[in-house]
PDB file of all heavy atoms in Angstrom:
ATOM      1  N   LYS N1358     102.816 105.110  69.742  1.00 98.00           N
ATOM      2  CA  LYS N1358     104.130 104.666  69.297  1.00 98.00           C
ATOM      3  C   LYS N1358     104.212 103.163  69.079  1.00 98.00           C
ATOM      4  O   LYS N1358     105.122 102.688  68.406  1.00 98.00           O
ATOM      5  CB  LYS N1358     105.199 105.090  70.312  1.00 98.00           C
ATOM      6  CG  LYS N1358     105.374 106.587  70.442  1.00 98.00           C
ATOM      7  CD  LYS N1358     106.480 106.907  71.438  1.00 98.00           C
ATOM      8  CE  LYS N1358     106.706 108.408  71.547  1.00 98.00           C
ATOM      9  NZ  LYS N1358     107.786 108.721  72.509  1.00 98.00           N
ATOM     10  N   LEU N1359     103.281 102.398  69.657  1.00 98.00           N
ATOM     11  CA  LEU N1359     103.384 100.943  69.584  1.00 98.00           C
ATOM     12  C   LEU N1359     102.096 100.279  69.098  1.00 98.00           C
ATOM     13  O   LEU N1359     102.144  99.373  68.275  1.00 98.00           O
ATOM     14  CB  LEU N1359     103.774 100.378  70.958  1.00 98.00           C
ATOM     15  CG  LEU N1359     104.066  98.879  71.011  1.00 98.00           C
ATOM     16  CD1 LEU N1359     105.208  98.593  71.968  1.00 98.00           C
ATOM     17  CD2 LEU N1359     102.841  98.063  71.430  1.00 98.00           C
ATOM     18  N   TYR N1360     100.958 100.722  69.603  1.00 98.00           N
ATOM     19  CA  TYR N1360      99.716  99.989  69.371  1.00 98.00           C
ATOM     20  C   TYR N1360      98.962 100.514  68.158  1.00 98.00           C
ATOM     21  O   TYR N1360      98.708 101.718  68.023  1.00 98.00           O
ATOM     22  CB  TYR N1360      98.818 100.088  70.609  1.00 98.00           C
ATOM     23  CG  TYR N1360      97.498  99.364  70.442  1.00 98.00           C
ATOM     24  CD1 TYR N1360      97.442  97.976  70.496  1.00 98.00           C
ATOM     25  CD2 TYR N1360      96.326 100.076  70.219  1.00 98.00           C
ATOM     26  CE1 TYR N1360      96.231  97.312  70.331  1.00 98.00           C
ATOM     27  CE2 TYR N1360      95.121  99.424  70.057  1.00 98.00           C
ATOM     28  CZ  TYR N1360      95.077  98.038  70.111  1.00 98.00           C
ATOM     29  OH  TYR N1360      93.896  97.378  69.941  1.00 98.00           O
ATOM     30  N   ASN N1361      98.586  99.596  67.257  1.00 98.00           N
ATOM     31  CA  ASN N1361      97.668  99.881  66.150  1.00 98.00           C
ATOM     32  C   ASN N1361      97.048  98.568  65.702  1.00 98.00           C
ATOM     33  O   ASN N1361      97.194  97.544  66.380  1.00 98.00           O
ATOM     34  CB  ASN N1361      98.378 100.610  64.995  1.00 98.00           C
ATOM     35  CG  ASN N1361      99.500  99.786  64.372  1.00 98.00           C
ATOM     36  OD1 ASN N1361      99.605  98.570  64.588  1.00 98.00           O
ATOM     37  ND2 ASN N1361     100.340 100.435  63.588  1.00 98.00           N
ATOM     38  N   GLY N1362      96.376  98.575  64.563  1.00 98.00           N
ATOM     39  CA  GLY N1362      95.690  97.367  64.113  1.00 98.00           C
ATOM     40  C   GLY N1362      96.629  96.204  63.871  1.00 98.00           C
ATOM     41  O   GLY N1362      96.318  95.057  64.215  1.00 98.00           O
ATOM     42  N   ALA N1363      97.784  96.482  63.273  1.00 97.00           N
ATOM     43  CA  ALA N1363      98.726  95.411  62.980  1.00 97.00           C
ATOM     44  C   ALA N1363      99.333  94.836  64.248  1.00 97.00           C
ATOM     45  O   ALA N1363      99.433  93.604  64.414  1.00 97.00           O
ATOM     46  CB  ALA N1363      99.818  95.919  62.045  1.00 97.00           C
ATOM     47  N   THR N1364      99.743  95.705  65.179  1.00 98.00           N
ATOM     48  CA  THR N1364     100.386  95.193  66.391  1.00 98.00           C
ATOM     49  C   THR N1364      99.377  94.575  67.350  1.00 98.00           C
ATOM     50  O   THR N1364      99.749  93.760  68.199  1.00 98.00           O
ATOM     51  CB  THR N1364     101.172  96.300  67.110  1.00 98.00           C
ATOM     52  OG1 THR N1364     100.286  97.380  67.450  1.00 98.00           O
ATOM     53  CG2 THR N1364     102.294  96.826  66.225  1.00 98.00           C
ATOM     54  N   HIS N1365      98.099  94.942  67.225  1.00 98.00           N
ATOM     55  CA  HIS N1365      97.053  94.310  68.046  1.00 98.00           C
ATOM     56  C   HIS N1365      97.134  92.791  67.925  1.00 98.00           C
ATOM     57  O   HIS N1365      97.175  92.071  68.927  1.00 98.00           O
ATOM     58  CB  HIS N1365      95.680  94.819  67.586  1.00 98.00           C
ATOM     59  CG  HIS N1365      94.513  94.181  68.274  1.00 98.00           C
ATOM     60  ND1 HIS N1365      93.926  94.711  69.389  1.00 98.00           N
ATOM     61  CD2 HIS N1365      93.797  93.045  67.976  1.00 98.00           C
ATOM     62  CE1 HIS N1365      92.912  93.951  69.767  1.00 98.00           C
ATOM     63  NE2 HIS N1365      92.808  92.933  68.915  1.00 98.00           N
ATOM     64  N   HIS N1366      97.177  92.307  66.687  1.00 97.00           N
ATOM     65  CA  HIS N1366      97.236  90.853  66.492  1.00 97.00           C
ATOM     66  C   HIS N1366      98.640  90.306  66.725  1.00 97.00           C
ATOM     67  O   HIS N1366      98.794  89.143  67.118  1.00 97.00           O
ATOM     68  CB  HIS N1366      96.710  90.489  65.105  1.00 97.00           C
ATOM     69  CG  HIS N1366      95.217  90.604  65.017  1.00 97.00           C
ATOM     70  ND1 HIS N1366      94.362  89.648  65.518  1.00 97.00           N
ATOM     71  CD2 HIS N1366      94.419  91.595  64.542  1.00 97.00           C
ATOM     72  CE1 HIS N1366      93.108  90.026  65.336  1.00 97.00           C
ATOM     73  NE2 HIS N1366      93.120  91.213  64.745  1.00 97.00           N
ATOM     74  N   GLY N1367      99.662  91.134  66.518  1.00 98.00           N
ATOM     75  CA  GLY N1367     101.009  90.703  66.852  1.00 98.00           C
ATOM     76  C   GLY N1367     101.181  90.454  68.336  1.00 98.00           C
ATOM     77  O   GLY N1367     101.827  89.482  68.750  1.00 98.00           O
ATOM     78  N   LEU N1368     100.593  91.312  69.155  1.00 98.00           N
ATOM     79  CA  LEU N1368     100.659  91.125  70.606  1.00 98.00           C
ATOM     80  C   LEU N1368     100.011  89.813  71.031  1.00 98.00           C
ATOM     81  O   LEU N1368     100.504  89.108  71.918  1.00 98.00           O
ATOM     82  CB  LEU N1368      99.949  92.291  71.307  1.00 98.00           C
ATOM     83  CG  LEU N1368     100.603  93.665  71.234  1.00 98.00           C
ATOM     84  CD1 LEU N1368      99.606  94.750  71.605  1.00 98.00           C
ATOM     85  CD2 LEU N1368     101.822  93.731  72.150  1.00 98.00           C
ATOM     86  N   LEU N1369      98.897  89.485  70.397  1.00 98.00           N
ATOM     87  CA  LEU N1369      98.118  88.307  70.782  1.00 98.00           C
ATOM     88  C   LEU N1369      98.651  87.002  70.208  1.00 98.00           C
ATOM     89  O   LEU N1369      98.203  85.923  70.603  1.00 98.00           O
ATOM     90  CB  LEU N1369      96.665  88.494  70.335  1.00 98.00           C
ATOM     91  CG  LEU N1369      95.882  89.584  71.073  1.00 98.00           C
ATOM     92  CD1 LEU N1369      94.652  89.998  70.269  1.00 98.00           C
ATOM     93  CD2 LEU N1369      95.473  89.118  72.469  1.00 98.00           C
ATOM     94  N   ALA N1370      99.614  87.090  69.288  1.00 98.00           N
ATOM     95  CA  ALA N1370     100.160  85.884  68.643  1.00 98.00           C
ATOM     96  C   ALA N1370     101.202  85.252  69.553  1.00 98.00           C
ATOM     97  O   ALA N1370     102.365  85.669  69.591  1.00 98.00           O
ATOM     98  CB  ALA N1370     100.767  86.251  67.291  1.00 98.00           C
ATOM     99  N   LEU N1371     100.812  84.245  70.302  1.00 98.00           N
ATOM    100  CA  LEU N1371     101.715  83.602  71.260  1.00 98.00           C
ATOM    101  C   LEU N1371     102.583  82.571  70.564  1.00 98.00           C
ATOM    102  O   LEU N1371     102.083  81.707  69.837  1.00 98.00           O
ATOM    103  CB  LEU N1371     100.913  82.923  72.365  1.00 98.00           C
ATOM    104  CG  LEU N1371      99.978  83.818  73.182  1.00 98.00           C
ATOM    105  CD1 LEU N1371      99.290  82.988  74.256  1.00 98.00           C
ATOM    106  CD2 LEU N1371     100.732  84.983  73.800  1.00 98.00           C
ATOM    107  N   PRO N1372     103.897  82.597  70.795  1.00 98.00           N
ATOM    108  CA  PRO N1372     104.766  81.576  70.220  1.00 98.00           C
ATOM    109  C   PRO N1372     104.503  80.220  70.851  1.00 98.00           C
ATOM    110  O   PRO N1372     103.938  80.128  71.957  1.00 98.00           O
ATOM    111  CB  PRO N1372     106.171  82.081  70.541  1.00 98.00           C
ATOM    112  CG  PRO N1372     106.003  82.995  71.699  1.00 98.00           C
ATOM    113  CD  PRO N1372     104.647  83.602  71.565  1.00 98.00           C
TER     114      PRO N1372
END
Side-chain angles (χ1 to χ4, degrees):
K1358 295 182 178 180
L1359 186 143
Y1360 179 75
N1361 62 15
T1364 59
H1365 176 93
H1366 286 282
L1368 291 163
L1369 292 161
L1371 301 181

